[in-house]
Every structure is written in structure tokens, then in C-alpha cells.
Amino acid sequence: MKMVQEETRKGPWTEQEDILLVNFVHLFGDRRWDFIAKVSGLNRTGKSCRLRWVNYLHPGLKRGKMTLQEERLVLELHAKWGNRWSRIARKLPGRTDNEIKNYWRTHMRKKAQQRKQDNSPSSPSSNCCSSSSTVTTVDLMLFPDAGKASFYDTGGLDHVTTPEGKKIEVEEEKGYSMDDIWKDIDLSEENTIKPVSNGYSNFSYPSIVASPSWEYSLDSVWRIFEEDTKMFLPTNQFPPCSYEYGEAFLTG
DNA sequence: AAATTAATCAACCGCCCAGTT
DNA sequence: GAACTGGGCGGTTGATTAATT
């Protein structure tokens, strides 16, 4: 006689859910996602909670357009590491792997299309620099198809299996320099990228998005929180949770 | 102004790996 | 050491918004 389990919620998060999640992350840290998912009563999977936190609610997140520097860094690192988005994201503070991934897909594809047009049928031989290799470095980056891989599979780290059968990552040196890459990129970018004012400081936050939770009064936050935690926390143990963004507290 | 198309991005899925039992 | 579990990651989808016709 199994209890009728309420279906796990999916889809967009509500503000209430966000508040709840933020509170529980502050309480229990950002590791025990399954636990948080359960005790919070969110009726979401741990994975879903983690994703929401990492990609949207985390206090350190930047919002808004990628800066030119960021853009270049993404390109550079992608050339180096391939689709290791999380790895790339670690080099761009405040950006998530998801964001970078999306960015790459949209912007790079756009550029790729543009480039395709530029190199289009009318001048079959115009874009080649050596008779045998008609694929440029950026082509490889933007059109892996040209080098027979999929759009996503752009190389990067190789996996090598040790004699013991262990798989290790080996950083692969590409046969081209960053100079080459930048040259190509600059050429293809000239008409597409507008310089963004001054680097990392100028972010415009989309009006509707971005950490909606911070806009609530602590009162309301705690009211909701209190309601939802009553059932599993002794009332006298309400945590003196200090709200310092960027750090999850689990004292004790 | 309405319809259509393109771009963007949040969120899910499935796989893999590391830690635990 | 095998089985299990949770977290992390990359790939993909689908809803929403913006731009174009």
C-alpha cells in the first residue's frame, strides 16, 4: 500500500519556490540537494534544485551581456578545451556553464552562418590558404563539420586510457596558435561585435529576472520559511541564519 | 496590427564519476 | 570489490521574447 506520491514539479520556478530554495541552501549548504529537495517540500528533484541555484539563484552570478573580454576568453578557452563548459565557466567568474553554453550556441552559430555566407559558393577557392587544407582554424572552431565532427564536438581534451584502464584527461596542444585564431576571429567579428563599454563593471540587469528573492522582505521570507520548516525542525531551534551571500551556512 | 520567423535562455534528460555502504 | 547513490556535466528541448515581414 504505497502512498500516492504527488508528482514531482517541473518547469519554471515560482518566486515562492525560489525563496524557499534560497533559504534552505543557506541553511544546509549547496551540496545536499536531495536532502534539500525533500525537507524543503519543494516537490522538485535535487537536481532541479541544484540547477536552479547554480544557474539562477547563486548570489555571485553576473547578468547581462557578455563583455568583449569574456567573449574572447570563451573563444580562447573553447579552442583549448572544447565543450568543457563547466571548466570554461570556472575561468569566468559569475558566469555559468549553461550561460556560456547557450552563448556559444547562439553567437557562434550566428557568426558561423555569417561566415558561411561570406565564403559562399561564388568563390570556391578564395578562402583557402593551402591547397590541401581548406579549413581554417576558425572554421574548425565554428564549423567542426568541416572537419567531420559535430557542431558540439570541437575537440579539446583527449582521453587517454592508462594501462590500468583508468581514463585520464590529457590536454591536447592544437596545431595552431591563438594569434591565428584571433586573426580569424577579428576578421569575422569586425562587423558583428560592438564593443561593450568597460569590461566587467557595466552590467544591466534584466528587469524581470535576476534574483527575485532578494526583493522580498526578510519578514515574508521567514514567514514562508517558518511554515515550511515547522514540520521537521523543533521550533526552538530556528537557526540564526546569517544572510551573507555567497556563502552557505550550516553551522553545527 | 497581425502573423511569422529567429534568437534567447531556463530547465530537463541521460550519462558518467566519485564517494559511500 | 561490487552495488548503490548523489552530484556534476554536456547535450537538447521548448517556452518566451524580439525582430521582421
Side-chain angles (χ1 to χ4, degrees):
Chain A
M1 43 172 189
K2 217 172 163 198
M3 289 222 286
V4 187
Q5 196 159 9
E6 230 181 301
E7 218 172 297
T8 316
R9 266 185 60 78
K10 281 185 183 181
W13 283 64
T14 65
E15 291 173 348
Q16 301 272 319
E17 286 179 307
D18 281 346
I19 296 172
L20 209 50
L21 180 59
V22 167
N23 280 309
F24 274 87
V25 170
H26 280 123
L27 257 184
F28 298 112
D30 59 356
R31 291 261 142 189
R32 304 159 66 192
W33 294 112
D34 262 32
F35 175 74
I36 287 175
K38 270 186 201 115
V39 301
S40 64
L42 274 167
N43 201 24
R44 297 234 178 210
T45 65
K47 280 187 174 192
S48 181
C49 294
R50 175 185 164 271
L51 206 71
R52 183 62 179 172
W53 173 258
V54 166
N55 286 333
Y56 195 85
L57 296 172
H58 194 283
L61 291 181
K62 277 180 196 164
R63 304 249 168 211
K65 261 186 91 127
M66 289 259 190
T67 64
L68 195 58
Q69 293 96 315
E70 286 176 312
E71 208 166 89
R72 294 200 154 198
L73 194 54
V74 169
L75 276 170
E76 184 176 332
L77 295 177
H78 187 271
K80 213 161 137 192
W81 295 334
N83 298 354
R84 267 64 177 188
W85 304 117
S86 61
R87 194 171 173 179
I88 294 172
R90 269 177 240 138
K91 300 286 177 192
L92 284 102
R95 301 292 186 187
T96 69
D97 53 353
N98 214 25
E99 201 178 356
I100 294 169
K101 192 164 55 183
N102 280 332
Y103 171 80
W104 178 266
R105 264 183 68 89
T106 56
H107 289 75
M108 293 308 117
R109 194 156 52 180
K110 204 161 63 188
K111 280 176 197 177
Q113 273 162 6
Q114 203 163 6
R115 203 178 165 78
K116 233 172 199 169
Q117 277 171 1
D118 292 349
N119 294 340
S120 65
S122 55
S123 57
S125 60
S126 62
N127 67 334
C128 83
C129 8
S130 78
S131 55
S132 60
S133 160
T134 55
V135 181
T136 68
T137 51
V138 169
D139 283 335
L140 277 171
M141 289 165 66
L142 302 181
F143 302 116
D145 281 348
K148 79 186 173 290
S150 79
F151 176 81
Y152 288 104
D153 186 6
T154 49
L157 300 180
D158 267 1
H159 283 97
V160 167
T161 311
T162 66
E164 305 88 61
K166 207 170 177 191
K167 220 161 75 173
I168 54 169
E169 277 185 347
V170 177
E171 240 178 275
E172 184 194 21
E173 274 302 321
K174 297 280 186 203
Y176 49 82
S177 69
M178 281 313 295
D179 278 354
D180 293 336
I181 294 170
W182 293 135
K183 229 180 290 167
D184 275 358
I185 290 166
D186 284 341
L187 279 175
S188 64
E189 265 180 354
E190 249 163 29
N191 299 320
T192 57
I193 294 186
K194 297 174 200 78
V196 177
S197 55
N198 66 339
Y200 290 83
S201 54
N202 259 357
F203 289 97
S204 59
Y205 287 67
S207 51
I208 14 152
V209 274
S211 316
S213 47
W214 316 133
E215 294 167 19
Y216 296 89
S217 74
L218 271 184
D219 258 8
S220 61
V221 167
W222 279 109
R223 249 200 319 277
I224 295 162
F225 179 55
E226 210 165 343
E227 284 303 308
D228 281 279
T229 49
K230 254 185 229 159
M231 67 255 238
F232 70 94
L233 280 179
T235 46
N236 62 339
Q237 276 188 10
F238 239 76
C241 173
S242 48
Y243 274 73
E244 251 177 70
Y245 300 147
E247 261 180 307
F249 289 97
L250 179 52
T251 45

